[in-house]
Amino acid sequence: MIRYASTKESIEQAVDDVNDTWRTRATKHTRKLLDDEKYSEGGPKWSDIKSAFMSLQYHKCIFCECPEFERQRGTYNLDVEHFRPKNAVEPWPKANAPKQYPFATGGVAGAYYWLAFDPCNYAASCKECNSRYKSNFFPIAGVRGLAGVEASNLQAEGPFLCFPLGDWDEDPELLIDFDGLIARPASADPARRRRAEVIIDFFALNEREALQIERALFITLFAPSLTASVTGIATPKQRAIAAKVHTPAAPHANCLRSFERAMIANPRRGREIVEKAQEVVFDSIEI
Ligand SMILES: [Zn+2]
């Protein structure tokens, strides 16, 4: 997970740019939702503004940073995801989950129905992050916000999940980085560590084999250029490739940037990470 430089205004502008009547219709329907105190159909379609979020996020899942491989085929495999659920919030972790936490995570709650048509409550995510993991969960450390408060103004809830668009939440890279292929808390600060722990568990970032293989693939792909860059022997082409790691468009950018830092701090550890990544790739294709 990384930050995508944007603000409430730039997100709204991106929506206006792809559909200049969407927000007007959204505001009108939101007034009805607030009057009814519940979610109902009848607002503008989310699919009409999906492309705005695809562009803001460089065609990567907002949560796991997998690239949208289907893009070249002209089909979308990312969903418009409601960060705060428009339906009733289910408790996370579930009561029968193997791991429980020694701190409160918000429990069951009503729906964030008034945010169903707030663009600052949207992001595009892969179907696995959205359907299998995100669902109607939204763990928080504090007290749920009041109906009518905009998505960009609800940080007092103490959300555990981090919103990588806009400028009202923390930079995800202050919460999570990687040791090789493994996501881990990036900070010693207790609140940040708790958030990182929840995010990593919530999206099963270290348990999903496909994610491990993708991270391994991209480390393998970037390793020659990054290694040459770090040791000062890179060709201009290799320097250009290594620099891509610092653009928000790089798939699994947080993992790649962590790998680059490991290479700089401890080249031997860097080589171990590359060897492990190659092993994971070869195992995945059974060579
Ligand atoms: Zn994902």
Short mmCIF file of all heavy atoms in Angstrom, two decimals, residues 65-111:
data_model
loop_
_atom_site.label_atom_id
_atom_site.label_comp_id
_atom_site.label_asym_id
_atom_site.label_seq_id
_atom_site.Cartn_x
_atom_site.Cartn_y
_atom_site.Cartn_z
N GLU A 65 -1.92 -3.52 -4.07
CA GLU A 65 -1.01 -3.01 -5.10
C GLU A 65 -0.78 -3.97 -6.26
O GLU A 65 0.22 -3.86 -6.97
CB GLU A 65 0.35 -2.64 -4.49
CG GLU A 65 0.37 -1.27 -3.84
CD GLU A 65 1.78 -0.73 -3.81
OE1 GLU A 65 2.22 -0.17 -4.82
OE2 GLU A 65 2.46 -0.87 -2.77
N CYS A 66 -1.68 -4.93 -6.44
CA CYS A 66 -1.53 -5.77 -7.64
C CYS A 66 -1.89 -4.94 -8.86
O CYS A 66 -2.80 -4.12 -8.81
CB CYS A 66 -2.37 -7.04 -7.54
SG CYS A 66 -4.14 -6.79 -7.72
N PRO A 67 -1.17 -5.12 -9.95
CA PRO A 67 -1.49 -4.36 -11.17
C PRO A 67 -2.69 -4.99 -11.87
O PRO A 67 -2.96 -6.18 -11.70
CB PRO A 67 -0.24 -4.53 -12.02
CG PRO A 67 0.35 -5.83 -11.58
CD PRO A 67 -0.02 -6.00 -10.13
N GLU A 68 -3.36 -4.17 -12.67
CA GLU A 68 -4.53 -4.66 -13.38
C GLU A 68 -4.07 -5.27 -14.71
O GLU A 68 -4.08 -4.61 -15.74
CB GLU A 68 -5.51 -3.52 -13.62
CG GLU A 68 -6.84 -4.00 -14.06
CD GLU A 68 -7.69 -2.85 -14.54
OE1 GLU A 68 -7.14 -1.87 -15.03
OE2 GLU A 68 -8.90 -2.97 -14.43
N PHE A 69 -3.70 -6.54 -14.65
CA PHE A 69 -3.17 -7.19 -15.85
C PHE A 69 -4.18 -7.21 -16.98
O PHE A 69 -3.83 -7.28 -18.14
CB PHE A 69 -2.74 -8.64 -15.52
CG PHE A 69 -1.47 -8.71 -14.73
CD1 PHE A 69 -1.44 -9.31 -13.50
CD2 PHE A 69 -0.29 -8.15 -15.23
CE1 PHE A 69 -0.27 -9.39 -12.76
CE2 PHE A 69 0.89 -8.22 -14.50
CZ PHE A 69 0.90 -8.84 -13.25
N GLU A 70 -5.48 -7.20 -16.62
CA GLU A 70 -6.53 -7.30 -17.64
C GLU A 70 -6.62 -6.03 -18.49
O GLU A 70 -7.27 -6.02 -19.52
CB GLU A 70 -7.90 -7.54 -16.99
CG GLU A 70 -7.99 -8.76 -16.11
CD GLU A 70 -7.81 -10.04 -16.90
OE1 GLU A 70 -8.45 -10.15 -17.94
OE2 GLU A 70 -7.02 -10.89 -16.47
N ARG A 71 -5.99 -4.96 -18.02
CA ARG A 71 -6.14 -3.66 -18.68
C ARG A 71 -5.84 -3.74 -20.18
O ARG A 71 -6.55 -3.17 -21.00
CB ARG A 71 -5.20 -2.68 -18.00
CG ARG A 71 -5.21 -1.29 -18.54
CD ARG A 71 -4.17 -0.51 -17.79
NE ARG A 71 -4.00 0.82 -18.31
CZ ARG A 71 -2.99 1.60 -18.00
NH1 ARG A 71 -2.10 1.19 -17.14
NH2 ARG A 71 -2.88 2.80 -18.50
N GLN A 72 -4.76 -4.47 -20.50
CA GLN A 72 -4.36 -4.55 -21.91
C GLN A 72 -5.43 -5.22 -22.76
O GLN A 72 -5.50 -5.04 -23.94
CB GLN A 72 -3.04 -5.33 -22.05
CG GLN A 72 -1.80 -4.51 -21.71
CD GLN A 72 -1.60 -4.34 -20.21
OE1 GLN A 72 -2.30 -4.96 -19.41
NE2 GLN A 72 -0.66 -3.49 -19.83
N ARG A 73 -6.27 -6.04 -22.10
CA ARG A 73 -7.32 -6.73 -22.85
C ARG A 73 -8.60 -5.90 -22.90
O ARG A 73 -9.62 -6.33 -23.42
CB ARG A 73 -7.63 -8.08 -22.19
CG ARG A 73 -6.53 -9.08 -22.39
CD ARG A 73 -6.83 -10.38 -21.68
NE ARG A 73 -5.67 -10.84 -20.94
CZ ARG A 73 -5.69 -11.65 -19.92
NH1 ARG A 73 -6.84 -12.13 -19.48
NH2 ARG A 73 -4.59 -12.01 -19.31
N GLY A 74 -8.55 -4.72 -22.30
CA GLY A 74 -9.70 -3.82 -22.38
C GLY A 74 -10.82 -4.14 -21.41
O GLY A 74 -11.91 -3.60 -21.51
N THR A 75 -10.57 -5.04 -20.46
CA THR A 75 -11.61 -5.32 -19.46
C THR A 75 -11.08 -4.90 -18.09
O THR A 75 -9.88 -4.86 -17.85
CB THR A 75 -11.96 -6.82 -19.42
OG1 THR A 75 -10.75 -7.55 -19.17
CG2 THR A 75 -12.58 -7.28 -20.71
N TYR A 76 -11.99 -4.60 -17.19
CA TYR A 76 -11.60 -4.16 -15.86
C TYR A 76 -11.70 -5.32 -14.87
O TYR A 76 -12.70 -6.03 -14.86
CB TYR A 76 -12.53 -3.05 -15.37
CG TYR A 76 -12.33 -1.73 -16.06
CD1 TYR A 76 -13.39 -0.85 -16.18
CD2 TYR A 76 -11.10 -1.35 -16.56
CE1 TYR A 76 -13.24 0.38 -16.80
CE2 TYR A 76 -10.93 -0.13 -17.18
CZ TYR A 76 -11.99 0.73 -17.30
OH TYR A 76 -11.83 1.93 -17.91
N ASN A 77 -10.67 -5.49 -14.06
CA ASN A 77 -10.82 -6.47 -12.99
C ASN A 77 -10.74 -5.82 -11.61
O ASN A 77 -10.54 -6.47 -10.62
CB ASN A 77 -9.81 -7.62 -13.12
CG ASN A 77 -8.38 -7.16 -12.93
OD1 ASN A 77 -8.12 -5.95 -12.93
ND2 ASN A 77 -7.47 -8.07 -12.77
N LEU A 78 -10.88 -4.50 -11.60
CA LEU A 78 -10.94 -3.80 -10.32
C LEU A 78 -12.39 -3.33 -10.08
O LEU A 78 -13.09 -2.99 -11.02
CB LEU A 78 -10.01 -2.58 -10.30
CG LEU A 78 -8.51 -2.84 -10.46
CD1 LEU A 78 -7.74 -1.54 -10.34
CD2 LEU A 78 -7.99 -3.84 -9.45
N ASP A 79 -12.82 -3.34 -8.81
CA ASP A 79 -14.16 -2.88 -8.44
C ASP A 79 -14.07 -1.50 -7.80
O ASP A 79 -13.05 -1.17 -7.18
CB ASP A 79 -14.77 -3.80 -7.37
CG ASP A 79 -15.07 -5.19 -7.92
OD1 ASP A 79 -15.32 -5.30 -9.13
OD2 ASP A 79 -15.06 -6.14 -7.11
N VAL A 80 -15.15 -0.72 -7.93
CA VAL A 80 -15.24 0.49 -7.10
C VAL A 80 -15.67 0.03 -5.72
O VAL A 80 -16.69 -0.62 -5.54
CB VAL A 80 -16.27 1.49 -7.65
CG1 VAL A 80 -16.43 2.67 -6.69
CG2 VAL A 80 -15.83 2.00 -9.01
N GLU A 81 -14.80 0.33 -4.78
CA GLU A 81 -14.98 -0.18 -3.42
C GLU A 81 -15.43 0.98 -2.51
O GLU A 81 -14.91 2.09 -2.62
CB GLU A 81 -13.62 -0.77 -2.99
CG GLU A 81 -13.10 -0.43 -1.64
CD GLU A 81 -13.75 -1.25 -0.58
OE1 GLU A 81 -14.49 -2.19 -0.91
OE2 GLU A 81 -13.57 -0.92 0.59
N HIS A 82 -16.43 0.70 -1.66
CA HIS A 82 -16.82 1.68 -0.63
C HIS A 82 -15.92 1.46 0.57
O HIS A 82 -15.99 0.41 1.21
CB HIS A 82 -18.28 1.49 -0.22
CG HIS A 82 -19.25 2.00 -1.24
ND1 HIS A 82 -19.52 1.33 -2.40
CD2 HIS A 82 -19.98 3.14 -1.27
CE1 HIS A 82 -20.40 2.03 -3.10
NE2 HIS A 82 -20.69 3.13 -2.45
N PHE A 83 -15.08 2.43 0.87
CA PHE A 83 -14.14 2.26 1.99
C PHE A 83 -14.93 2.05 3.29
O PHE A 83 -14.77 1.04 3.97
CB PHE A 83 -13.24 3.49 2.08
CG PHE A 83 -12.10 3.35 3.05
CD1 PHE A 83 -11.17 2.33 2.93
CD2 PHE A 83 -11.94 4.28 4.08
CE1 PHE A 83 -10.11 2.21 3.82
CE2 PHE A 83 -10.87 4.18 4.97
CZ PHE A 83 -9.97 3.13 4.84
N ARG A 84 -15.80 2.99 3.63
CA ARG A 84 -16.72 2.75 4.74
C ARG A 84 -17.99 2.14 4.15
O ARG A 84 -18.57 2.69 3.21
CB ARG A 84 -17.01 4.06 5.49
CG ARG A 84 -15.84 4.51 6.38
CD ARG A 84 -16.11 5.84 7.04
NE ARG A 84 -15.14 6.15 8.09
CZ ARG A 84 -13.91 6.64 7.88
NH1 ARG A 84 -13.49 6.89 6.65
NH2 ARG A 84 -13.11 6.91 8.89
N PRO A 85 -18.43 1.00 4.70
CA PRO A 85 -19.52 0.24 4.05
C PRO A 85 -20.84 1.02 4.00
O PRO A 85 -21.22 1.69 4.96
CB PRO A 85 -19.67 -0.99 4.96
CG PRO A 85 -18.37 -1.10 5.69
CD PRO A 85 -17.88 0.31 5.88
N LYS A 86 -21.53 0.88 2.88
CA LYS A 86 -22.85 1.52 2.76
C LYS A 86 -23.91 0.66 3.44
O LYS A 86 -25.03 1.12 3.67
CB LYS A 86 -23.20 1.74 1.29
CG LYS A 86 -23.35 0.47 0.47
CD LYS A 86 -23.61 0.80 -0.98
CE LYS A 86 -23.88 -0.44 -1.83
NZ LYS A 86 -22.79 -1.43 -1.81
N ASN A 87 -23.57 -0.60 3.73
CA ASN A 87 -24.48 -1.49 4.47
C ASN A 87 -23.98 -1.64 5.91
O ASN A 87 -22.89 -1.20 6.24
CB ASN A 87 -24.52 -2.86 3.78
CG ASN A 87 -25.05 -2.75 2.36
OD1 ASN A 87 -26.10 -2.14 2.13
ND2 ASN A 87 -24.32 -3.30 1.40
N ALA A 88 -24.81 -2.29 6.75
CA ALA A 88 -24.47 -2.42 8.17
C ALA A 88 -23.07 -3.01 8.34
O ALA A 88 -22.68 -3.95 7.64
CB ALA A 88 -25.50 -3.30 8.87
N VAL A 89 -22.32 -2.43 9.29
CA VAL A 89 -20.94 -2.85 9.54
C VAL A 89 -20.94 -4.12 10.39
O VAL A 89 -21.58 -4.17 11.44
CB VAL A 89 -20.17 -1.73 10.26
CG1 VAL A 89 -18.76 -2.20 10.63
CG2 VAL A 89 -20.10 -0.48 9.39
N GLU A 90 -20.21 -5.11 9.89
CA GLU A 90 -20.08 -6.36 10.66
C GLU A 90 -18.84 -6.29 11.53
O GLU A 90 -17.86 -5.64 11.17
CB GLU A 90 -19.96 -7.55 9.69
CG GLU A 90 -21.20 -7.76 8.83
CD GLU A 90 -20.97 -8.85 7.80
OE1 GLU A 90 -20.31 -9.85 8.11
OE2 GLU A 90 -21.44 -8.67 6.67
N PRO A 91 -18.89 -6.98 12.69
CA PRO A 91 -17.71 -6.91 13.57
C PRO A 91 -16.50 -7.62 12.96
O PRO A 91 -16.66 -8.65 12.32
CB PRO A 91 -18.17 -7.64 14.85
CG PRO A 91 -19.37 -8.42 14.47
CD PRO A 91 -19.97 -7.80 13.24
N TRP A 92 -15.34 -7.00 13.13
CA TRP A 92 -14.08 -7.62 12.69
C TRP A 92 -13.06 -7.51 13.82
O TRP A 92 -12.92 -6.42 14.36
CB TRP A 92 -13.52 -6.92 11.45
CG TRP A 92 -12.36 -7.68 10.85
CD1 TRP A 92 -12.40 -8.60 9.86
CD2 TRP A 92 -10.99 -7.60 11.27
NE1 TRP A 92 -11.14 -9.10 9.63
CE2 TRP A 92 -10.26 -8.51 10.49
CE3 TRP A 92 -10.31 -6.88 12.26
CZ2 TRP A 92 -8.88 -8.70 10.64
CZ3 TRP A 92 -8.94 -7.06 12.41
CH2 TRP A 92 -8.24 -7.96 11.60
N PRO A 93 -12.35 -8.57 14.21
CA PRO A 93 -12.46 -9.91 13.63
C PRO A 93 -13.78 -10.58 14.03
O PRO A 93 -14.39 -10.17 15.01
CB PRO A 93 -11.27 -10.64 14.24
CG PRO A 93 -11.01 -9.95 15.53
CD PRO A 93 -11.35 -8.52 15.30
N LYS A 94 -14.19 -11.59 13.25
CA LYS A 94 -15.38 -12.34 13.61
C LYS A 94 -15.14 -13.05 14.94
O LYS A 94 -13.99 -13.36 15.28
CB LYS A 94 -15.70 -13.38 12.52
CG LYS A 94 -16.19 -12.75 11.23
CD LYS A 94 -16.53 -13.83 10.22
CE LYS A 94 -17.03 -13.18 8.94
NZ LYS A 94 -17.17 -14.13 7.85
N ALA A 95 -16.25 -13.32 15.65
CA ALA A 95 -16.13 -13.91 16.99
C ALA A 95 -15.38 -15.24 16.96
O ALA A 95 -14.67 -15.59 17.90
CB ALA A 95 -17.52 -14.10 17.59
N ASN A 96 -15.51 -15.99 15.83
CA ASN A 96 -14.86 -17.31 15.76
C ASN A 96 -13.52 -17.27 15.04
O ASN A 96 -12.94 -18.30 14.73
CB ASN A 96 -15.80 -18.32 15.09
CG ASN A 96 -16.14 -17.90 13.66
OD1 ASN A 96 -15.74 -16.82 13.22
ND2 ASN A 96 -16.86 -18.75 12.93
N ALA A 97 -13.02 -16.05 14.75
CA ALA A 97 -11.72 -15.94 14.05
C ALA A 97 -10.61 -16.47 14.95
O ALA A 97 -10.66 -16.28 16.17
CB ALA A 97 -11.45 -14.49 13.67
N PRO A 98 -9.59 -17.12 14.35
CA PRO A 98 -8.52 -17.70 15.18
C PRO A 98 -7.73 -16.64 15.94
O PRO A 98 -7.24 -16.89 17.04
CB PRO A 98 -7.63 -18.43 14.17
CG PRO A 98 -8.03 -17.90 12.82
CD PRO A 98 -9.44 -17.43 12.92
N LYS A 99 -7.63 -15.43 15.37
CA LYS A 99 -6.87 -14.39 16.06
C LYS A 99 -7.80 -13.30 16.57
O LYS A 99 -8.58 -12.74 15.81
CB LYS A 99 -5.83 -13.79 15.10
CG LYS A 99 -4.95 -12.74 15.77
CD LYS A 99 -3.79 -12.32 14.89
CE LYS A 99 -2.97 -11.21 15.54
NZ LYS A 99 -1.86 -10.77 14.68
N GLN A 100 -7.72 -13.04 17.86
CA GLN A 100 -8.47 -11.93 18.45
C GLN A 100 -7.44 -10.91 18.95
O GLN A 100 -6.26 -11.23 19.08
CB GLN A 100 -9.34 -12.42 19.61
CG GLN A 100 -10.39 -13.48 19.19
CD GLN A 100 -11.49 -12.89 18.29
OE1 GLN A 100 -11.93 -11.76 18.48
NE2 GLN A 100 -11.93 -13.67 17.29
N TYR A 101 -7.87 -9.69 19.22
CA TYR A 101 -6.93 -8.61 19.56
C TYR A 101 -7.17 -8.10 20.98
O TYR A 101 -8.32 -8.07 21.44
CB TYR A 101 -7.07 -7.46 18.56
CG TYR A 101 -6.71 -7.89 17.16
CD1 TYR A 101 -7.64 -8.52 16.36
CD2 TYR A 101 -5.42 -7.71 16.69
CE1 TYR A 101 -7.30 -8.97 15.09
CE2 TYR A 101 -5.07 -8.15 15.42
CZ TYR A 101 -6.01 -8.78 14.63
OH TYR A 101 -5.67 -9.22 13.39
N PRO A 102 -6.11 -7.67 21.66
CA PRO A 102 -6.28 -7.16 23.03
C PRO A 102 -6.75 -5.71 23.05
O PRO A 102 -6.65 -5.05 24.07
CB PRO A 102 -4.87 -7.30 23.61
CG PRO A 102 -3.97 -7.17 22.43
CD PRO A 102 -4.70 -7.74 21.26
N PHE A 103 -7.25 -5.22 21.93
CA PHE A 103 -7.77 -3.84 21.87
C PHE A 103 -9.08 -3.85 21.10
O PHE A 103 -9.35 -4.77 20.31
CB PHE A 103 -6.75 -2.90 21.22
CG PHE A 103 -6.13 -3.41 19.95
CD1 PHE A 103 -6.78 -3.27 18.73
CD2 PHE A 103 -4.88 -4.05 19.95
CE1 PHE A 103 -6.22 -3.74 17.55
CE2 PHE A 103 -4.31 -4.53 18.77
CZ PHE A 103 -4.98 -4.38 17.58
N ALA A 104 -9.91 -2.82 21.35
CA ALA A 104 -11.24 -2.75 20.72
C ALA A 104 -11.10 -2.46 19.23
O ALA A 104 -10.21 -1.72 18.81
CB ALA A 104 -12.06 -1.67 21.40
N THR A 105 -11.98 -3.05 18.42
CA THR A 105 -11.94 -2.82 16.97
C THR A 105 -13.29 -2.33 16.42
O THR A 105 -13.52 -2.39 15.22
CB THR A 105 -11.49 -4.09 16.21
OG1 THR A 105 -12.33 -5.18 16.63
CG2 THR A 105 -10.04 -4.44 16.49
N GLY A 106 -14.15 -1.88 17.31
CA GLY A 106 -15.35 -1.19 16.84
C GLY A 106 -16.64 -1.99 16.86
O GLY A 106 -17.72 -1.42 16.94
N GLY A 107 -16.55 -3.31 16.77
CA GLY A 107 -17.75 -4.15 16.85
C GLY A 107 -18.75 -3.89 15.74
O GLY A 107 -18.44 -3.31 14.70
N VAL A 108 -20.00 -4.33 15.99
CA VAL A 108 -21.06 -4.18 15.01
C VAL A 108 -21.52 -2.72 15.00
O VAL A 108 -21.40 -2.02 16.01
CB VAL A 108 -22.22 -5.15 15.35
CG1 VAL A 108 -22.92 -4.75 16.63
CG2 VAL A 108 -23.19 -5.29 14.20
N ALA A 109 -22.00 -2.25 13.86
CA ALA A 109 -22.45 -0.85 13.78
C ALA A 109 -23.41 -0.69 12.62
O ALA A 109 -23.51 -1.57 11.75
CB ALA A 109 -21.24 0.08 13.59
N GLY A 110 -24.09 0.43 12.60
CA GLY A 110 -24.99 0.73 11.49
C GLY A 110 -24.20 1.03 10.23
O GLY A 110 -22.97 1.10 10.24
N ALA A 111 -24.94 1.19 9.14
CA ALA A 111 -24.31 1.47 7.86
C ALA A 111 -23.83 2.91 7.77
O ALA A 111 -24.39 3.81 8.40
CB ALA A 111 -25.33 1.22 6.76
#
